[in-house]
Amino acid sequence: MRLKIPDYLRITKVDNQLVILDGRKNQYFAVNESGSAFIGFLQNGSSVEDAINQLEARYLSSSVCSDMEEFLKELINQGLVVEA
């Protein structure tokens, strides 16, 4: 599955985190380092599966897949990613 970041979002990198502003709802979200990397992979055209594989290689943790699946559900529910 390929996803993209909608045009109505503004994303700023602060240290190793992202701050995402949703202009439609006037809400902002702070995303930690692993979530920031995940979003970065999606922005660069990686599929969800490829993004998770890259994170698993980076963090060498058995919980990366389940963590990112939960994170992805939240991104979709909040409208922070949409199908490409």
Side-chain angles (χ1 to χ4, degrees):
M1 173 188 329
R2 294 217 183 264
L3 300 170
K4 68 176 188 166
I5 307 301
D7 294 335
Y8 53 79
L9 297 180
R10 296 294 170 248
I11 300 176
T12 302
K13 188 168 185 172
V14 178
D15 297 324
N16 290 329
Q17 298 184 342
L18 293 181
V19 176
I20 303 172
L21 174 64
D22 183 341
R24 301 170 312 153
K25 302 177 188 175
N26 289 326
Q27 290 181 316
Y28 73 91
F29 304 86
V31 180
N32 69 16
E33 184 177 349
S34 59
S36 298
F38 182 74
I39 290 172
F41 293 139
L42 297 178
Q43 286 178 305
N44 290 327
S46 292
S47 68
V48 170
E49 295 80 13
D50 288 341
I52 290 173
N53 289 337
Q54 291 176 67
L55 286 173
E56 285 177 330
R58 179 183 289 185
Y59 292 106
L60 302 174
S61 171
S62 61
S63 67
V64 168
C65 185
S66 61
D67 290 348
M68 288 303 112
E69 287 174 351
E70 285 299 312
F71 180 56
L72 181 59
K73 286 178 190 175
E74 188 63 26
L75 291 173
I76 292 169
N77 287 340
Q78 294 294 332
L80 302 179
V81 294
V82 295
E83 285 194 52

